[in-house]
Amino acid sequence: MRRRRSLMSVTPAAWAAPVRGRFVGRFLLAVFLAAWAGLPVPAAEAVTGVEVIQRAQAKLSRCRTLTAGFEKRFYWAALDRTTVHHGRLYLRRPDRFRVEVDDGNLVVADGQAIWVYNRRNAQVVVNPYEGEVKSPWEVLVEYQDSHVPGAMEETRLGNRPCYLLTLVPRDDDAGVVQTRVWVGRRDSLLLQVEQRDVNDDVTTYLLKDQRVNASLDDRVFRFVSPDGTEVIDRRGSAGGSE
């Protein structure tokens, strides 16, 4: 049976590369969706990694929208080189999202299709939403099943006290060796995620300015092709944005 691709496969690095037959990478949406973990945790309460994930899932079930800024740092071990991108994420339950990157690349889901725009190539690839990828809500709900919580410690990220969790993927073919997440100790908001792959490349996402249940206009989740954009439509007869 064909495995559905995860929204984690849509990464800023993939947007900046020539369009291929499938998405590249494995982690983006799981990172941002974890930012919905806003359930307060009493400071004196001892919690486990499993409990932190469960509380994130419980909070997610009550959230309607999320906006967050992000910084992505990618360390390429073979070249000992680091690249940095900034952007912003918008999510609205159950099936709409928008990811803007500072290089002009963009990913938009309008509930029917996912539009992946590459400004440098003046090209947008349109994929069907249903059946092609897991929805944002599925990613976090299944997160506990796809990772094994390991060590957890109390630490600080900047001046914020937080929990540092180490997660190991259950799937040996995932390509990800280890994931570490920093979660605010007082508000349980996700602060940072670090992912190391089999090549020792390290991808780090720093989240900031998370806002839950803000009003988001429908226009946020519509993609309008700039003049001269090549459209590669893989939806068949399905409809979507124009």
Side-chain angles (χ1 to χ4, degrees):
M1 181 174 64
R2 184 169 66 94
R3 178 180 297 179
R4 295 173 65 193
R5 291 177 295 170
S6 169
L7 285 170
M8 295 184 288
S9 63
V10 186
T11 69
W15 307 333
V19 173
R20 300 179 176 88
R22 64 187 184 88
F23 292 126
V24 179
R26 296 184 64 86
F27 201 72
L28 178 61
L29 257 294
V31 168
F32 293 112
L33 288 172
W36 295 64
L39 199 64
V41 179
E45 181 183 355
V47 296
T48 66
V50 171
E51 289 171 331
V52 170
I53 294 173
Q54 289 174 339
R55 293 177 183 201
Q57 295 171 337
K59 178 64 178 182
L60 175 64
S61 69
R62 297 191 294 271
C63 291
R64 300 184 308 275
T65 68
L66 166 74
T67 65
F70 67 88
E71 174 186 285
K72 178 194 175 185
R73 298 190 297 272
F74 176 73
Y75 172 69
W76 193 351
L79 298 181
D80 191 25
R81 187 175 72 186
T82 300
T83 59
V84 180
H85 285 285
H86 296 85
R88 191 154 190 86
L89 171 78
Y90 305 82
L91 294 169
R92 190 173 74 186
R93 192 179 185 92
D95 54 12
R96 284 164 172 75
F97 66 88
R98 180 185 186 96
V99 182
E100 302 173 348
V101 188
D102 56 8
D103 58 8
N105 293 331
L106 179 67
V107 178
V108 177
D110 60 10
Q112 298 180 355
I114 297 176
W115 303 69
V116 182
Y117 174 65
N118 186 307
R119 186 177 68 173
R120 181 176 181 180
N121 294 346
Q123 187 179 70
V124 61
V125 178
V126 191
N127 286 281
Y129 190 104
E130 187 65 29
E132 282 296 313
V133 297
K134 294 179 181 179
S135 74
W137 319 106
E138 289 177 297
V139 170
L140 187 54
V141 167
E142 297 175 5
Y143 194 73
Q144 184 176 356
D145 294 334
S146 63
H147 290 75
V148 179
M152 187 176 73
E153 61 183 278
E154 294 187 12
T155 185
R156 302 184 74 88
L157 185 64
N159 61 355
R160 294 191 62 173
C162 58
Y163 295 111
L164 170 56
L165 292 81
T166 300
L167 307 175
V168 179
R170 297 181 188 272
D171 185 355
D172 292 336
D173 298 327
V176 178
V177 175
Q178 184 185 79
T179 298
R180 299 198 301 165
V181 297
W182 286 255
V183 179
R185 197 171 68 182
R186 296 190 180 98
D187 57 14
S188 292
L189 288 174
L190 184 74
L191 306 177
Q192 182 170 281
V193 171
E194 176 189 276
Q195 171 195 353
R196 179 167 60 89
D197 66 20
V198 293
N199 298 314
D200 284 330
D201 298 335
V202 179
T203 304
T204 304
Y205 292 96
L206 174 66
L207 301 181
K208 57 185 179 181
D209 190 28
Q210 300 100 320
R211 299 183 181 181
V212 174
N213 290 334
S215 178
L216 296 176
D217 192 276
D218 287 345
R219 291 173 293 182
V220 172
F221 306 105
R222 294 174 185 160
F223 179 80
V224 179
S225 298
D227 292 341
T229 299
E230 177 188 9
V231 178
I232 301 176
D233 196 333
R234 296 174 177 163
R235 295 171 296 172
S237 60
S241 299
E242 297 180 354

